[in-house]
């Protein structure tokens, strides 16, 4: 095999494992930030792999975390711009009335906000990094919180691998890497190689933009000999306890008896709960191990809901000395279930009052990765009396779940797709893989209450595929409720239906719609719709109607998306 050829690495001096980890915080891992200035170049002809660009220094520079557009990199907008997203009215391209706005220097597109730059294709990012001497012999991982989209990686001349998660961190692990200075090269490609749908809010220029870059936490870190790779927490309300399932990797190559410790702290407002810690002796075989422990919380157990969202912080450790690893995660004691046509949370019926989150971030063109930014958005929803957010055909970063946990919001998360499914195309496997990555990364968060494949599926075999999807997750994880998709179909396997009815303004209704034929009121009866179903119904996208824009807001668009369509 030639150096740099993108096939799995076989050299004996470096052993590579590529996998996706949950976003747990591992306190004892030595870490070097990869934020800052990177070398950069676009690959408009897609020749970089063939020409081995990882062996050369790109001539430009870029700041990460960030996107190409946020660094003013990319191509100018023109009539040749290759947008990601359906354009229903294409008259801008040929109607004479728009001719002045098709001229270079005066481009104004009417179908959505205009980015300062646009680029679809591979781009290369490169950074020099130094592996400390005391990392010798330890496993090392490269942690990229969110890339958009596909990322390939090389260390010096050696190809590491490829990852393509849209909604979770992409992580590469290496072992037996030599201390000293190395060159890390990343090739990020935002072309739609797996057909999640050009209108999916995970990728579309309709909303967050089909950006190219890396955001959030970027780091390289040393892992211990006993490495905690996953911590999953399953609340048991009846037993007043939580089952903890740890995935621990023993890098020593030898079986070992060691100690597992777990400490949980529950908090809400000024209330605290400190249940007795857990300490157990465990055996770790070489390689991967799955360890289960039971954490008794007792009658003083605090529960999580929209009114009193008590959150437990859990710190778990294994081993000692250089074999020691300590990780933290959060969980909430709550149980969501279905009772007839209603949702039940912790034994009490709840009513979802929600809105969509469509990944609309005009300042950056990509989602924030800070808790404070998400709290600002979610508090606005809470102030309107809402308790539910649906992430339309995308999955948010870790910070969104943290904010929702603290504020008491019920989230519907989706696998980044608005696609044709069930035909055996790569999208089918991607959805299953991505759903597992999402649950592994964010499944402990109590706000993660509802889960679906994505939006409005196409395909003659969609019902069969989605039924299998639902059955898979019901059997695997009881911490949330499941539906096949938002929009349709109505499936027997659904825990609840997320369908277009009831809706105050149906497509094509015109003056016959509820909103137009009579003054608004609170006494409207939707029983003629709901009585058709024996399960809860969450109405799908009820707020679609024309509005007059506030033109005074144009000056507020100070980021990478400009309101030039007025």
């Amino acid at each position: 095999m030639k150096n740099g050829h993108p096939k799995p690495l076989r050299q004996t001096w470096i052993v590579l494992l590529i996998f996706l980890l949950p976003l747990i915080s591992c306190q004892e891992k030595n870490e070097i930030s990869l934020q800052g200035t990177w070398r950069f170049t676009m690959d408009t002809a897609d020749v970089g792999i063939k020409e081995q660009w990882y062996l050369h220094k790109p001539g430009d520079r870029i700041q990460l975390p960030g996107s190409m557009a946020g660094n003013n990199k990319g191509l100018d907008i023109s009539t040749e711009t290759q947008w990601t997203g359906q354009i229903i009215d294409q008259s801008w391209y040929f109607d004479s009335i728009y001719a002045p706005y098709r001229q270079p220097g005066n481009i104004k597109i009417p179908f959505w906000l205009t980015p300062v730059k646009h680029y679809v294709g591979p781009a290369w990012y490169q950074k020099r990094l130094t592996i400390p001497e005391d990392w010798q012999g330890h496993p090392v991982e490269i942690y990229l919180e969110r890339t958009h989209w596909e990322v390939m990686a090389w260390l010096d001349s050696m190809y590491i691998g490829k990852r393509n998660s849209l909604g979770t961190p992409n992580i590469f692990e290496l072992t037996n890497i030599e201390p000293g200075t190395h060159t890390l090269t990343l090739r990020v490609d935002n072309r739609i190689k797996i057909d999640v749908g050009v209108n999916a809010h995970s990728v579309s220029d309709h909303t967050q933009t089909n950006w190219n870059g890396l955001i959030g936490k970027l780091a390289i870190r040393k892992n211990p000999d006993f490495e905690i790779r996953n911590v999953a927490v399953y609340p048991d309300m009846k037993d007043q306890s939580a089952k903890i399932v740890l995935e621990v990797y023993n890098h020593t190559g030898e079986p070992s008896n060691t100690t597992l410790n777990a400490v949980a702290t529950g908090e809400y407002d000024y209330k605290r709960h400190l249940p007795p810690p857990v300490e157990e002796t465990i055996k770790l075989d070489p390689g991967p191990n799955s360890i289960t422990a039971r954490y008794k919380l007792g009658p003083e157990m605090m529960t999580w809901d929209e009114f009193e969202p008590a959150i437990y912080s859990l710190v778990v450790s294994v081993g000692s000395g250089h074999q020691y690893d300590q990780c933290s995660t959060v969980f909430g004691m709550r149980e969501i279930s279905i009772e007839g046509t209603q949702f039940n949370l912790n034994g009490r019926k709840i009513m979802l009052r929600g809105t969509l989150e469509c990944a609309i971030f005009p300042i950056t063109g990509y989602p924030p990765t800070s808790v404070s930014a998400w709290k600002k958005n979610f508090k606005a929803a809470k102030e309107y009396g809402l308790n539910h957010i649906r992430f339309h055909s995308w999955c948010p970063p870790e910070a969104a779940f943290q904010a929702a946990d603290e504020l008491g919001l019920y989230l519907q998360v989706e696998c980044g797709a608005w696609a044709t499914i069930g035909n055996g195309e790569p999208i089918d496997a991607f959805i299953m893989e991505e759903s597992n990555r999402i649950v592994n990364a964010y499944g402990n968060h109590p706000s993660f209450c509802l889960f679906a494949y994505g939006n409005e599926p196409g395909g003659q075999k969609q019902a069969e595929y989605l039924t299998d999807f639902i059955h898979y997750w019901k059997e695997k994880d009881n911490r949330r409720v499941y539906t096949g998709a938002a929009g349709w179909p109505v499936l027997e396997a659904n825990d609840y239906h997320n369908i277009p009815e009831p809706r105050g303004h149906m497509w094509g209704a015109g003056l016959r719609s509820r909103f137009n034929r009579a003054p608004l009121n609170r006494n409207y009866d939707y029983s003629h719709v709901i009585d058709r179903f024996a399960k809860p119904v969450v109405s799908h996208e009820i707020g679609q109607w024309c509005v007059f824009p506030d033109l005074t807001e144009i000056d507020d668009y100070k980021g990478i998306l400009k309101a030039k369509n007025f």
Side-chain angles (χ1 to χ4, degrees), residues 344-373:
N344 189 304
L345 189 79
N346 302 342
R348 178 167 59 186
K349 294 178 182 178
I350 61 171
M351 178 72 177
L352 297 185
R353 309 175 303 278
T355 188
L356 294 184
E357 214 315 321
C358 294
I360 301 172
F361 306 103
I363 300 299
T364 60
Y366 56 75
T369 55
S370 70
V371 176
S372 60

Side-chain angles (χ1 to χ4, degrees), residues 304-309 334-336 343-346 348-355 378 381-382 385-391 400-401 403-413 445-451 481 496 538:
W304 182 95
D305 63 17
E306 64 186 280
F307 305 107
E308 294 188 358
R334 65 110 176 102
E335 180 181 29
I336 187 168
F343 293 96
N344 189 304
L345 189 79
N346 302 342
R348 178 167 59 186
K349 294 178 182 178
I350 61 171
M351 178 72 177
L352 297 185
R353 309 175 303 278
T355 188
F378 288 162
K382 294 280 285 191
L386 305 183
N387 64 2
H388 166 54
I389 305 288
R390 175 197 162 207
F391 287 90
F401 292 92
D405 290 347
E406 294 179 27
L407 296 176
L409 284 168
Y410 310 131
L411 305 185
Q412 175 167 311
V413 177
H445 288 284
S447 57
F448 186 0
C449 293
L450 307 96
F451 199 22
V481 291
Y496 64 100
V538 180

Side-chain angles (χ1 to χ4, degrees), residues 401-555:
F401 292 92
Q402 292 184 27
D405 290 347
E406 294 179 27
L407 296 176
L409 284 168
Y410 310 131
L411 305 185
Q412 175 167 311
V413 177
E414 300 177 11
C415 297
W418 184 350
T420 297
I421 56 176
N423 296 332
E425 298 297 324
I427 181 63
D428 292 349
F430 176 82
I431 290 168
M432 295 308 301
E433 293 164 1
E434 187 78 343
S435 68
N436 274 279
R437 291 187 288 246
I438 288 170
V439 171
N440 284 343
Y442 313 124
N444 293 338
H445 288 284
S447 57
F448 186 0
C449 293
L450 307 96
F451 199 22
Y453 119 90
N455 190 63
E456 299 178 2
Q460 293 183 349
K461 298 182 179 179
Q462 59 174 278
E464 179 182 343
Y465 176 86
L466 292 173
T467 296
D468 290 342
F469 174 87
I470 296 167
H471 286 322
Y472 172 85
W473 279 110
K474 283 185 179 181
E475 294 174 5
K476 185 171 184 176
D477 195 330
N478 65 355
R479 291 178 292 180
R480 61 197 61 83
V481 291
Y482 301 94
T483 194
W488 56 76
V490 173
L491 299 172
E492 179 60 32
N494 286 347
D495 284 326
Y496 64 100
H497 304 310
N498 194 180
I499 56 177
E501 296 181 272
R503 182 183 285 181
H505 188 92
M506 297 294 291
W507 286 103
L511 296 178
R512 296 177 290 106
S513 74
R514 175 197 164 194
F515 291 159
N516 287 334
R517 72 172 181 263
L520 296 179
N521 63 78
R522 299 179 179 180
N523 301 318
Y524 198 80
D525 186 357
Y526 285 117
S527 60
H528 66 286
V529 175
I530 301 302
D531 287 349
R532 291 160 32 203
F533 305 103
K535 298 179 180 181
V537 171
V538 180
S539 189
H540 171 258
E541 301 178 10
I542 64 172
Q544 299 191 25
W545 52 82
C546 294
V547 296
F548 291 102
D550 183 352
L551 299 183
T552 64
E553 294 180 351
I554 290 178
D555 291 339

Side-chain angles (χ1 to χ4, degrees), residues 9 14-21 29 137-144 153 155 159-163 170-177 184 219-229 248-251 287-288 325:
L9 185 63
I14 182 170
V15 179
L16 174 75
L17 298 173
I18 306 172
F19 55 93
L20 199 69
L21 298 181
K29 294 180 178 179
H138 288 276
V140 174
E141 70 182 29
I142 299 166
Y143 180 94
L144 311 173
L155 190 70
Y159 177 67
I160 299 175
K162 177 174 68 176
R163 296 301 296 178
N170 287 312
I171 298 176
F172 303 93
E173 182 173 280
L174 306 93
T175 60
N176 296 331
I177 183 173
L184 174 64
I220 183 168
R221 54 199 190 188
K222 179 187 75 174
N223 288 332
D225 289 343
F226 296 163
E227 178 195 353
I228 301 175
R229 291 188 167 179
V248 182
Y249 199 95
N250 177 2
H251 291 279
D325 198 8

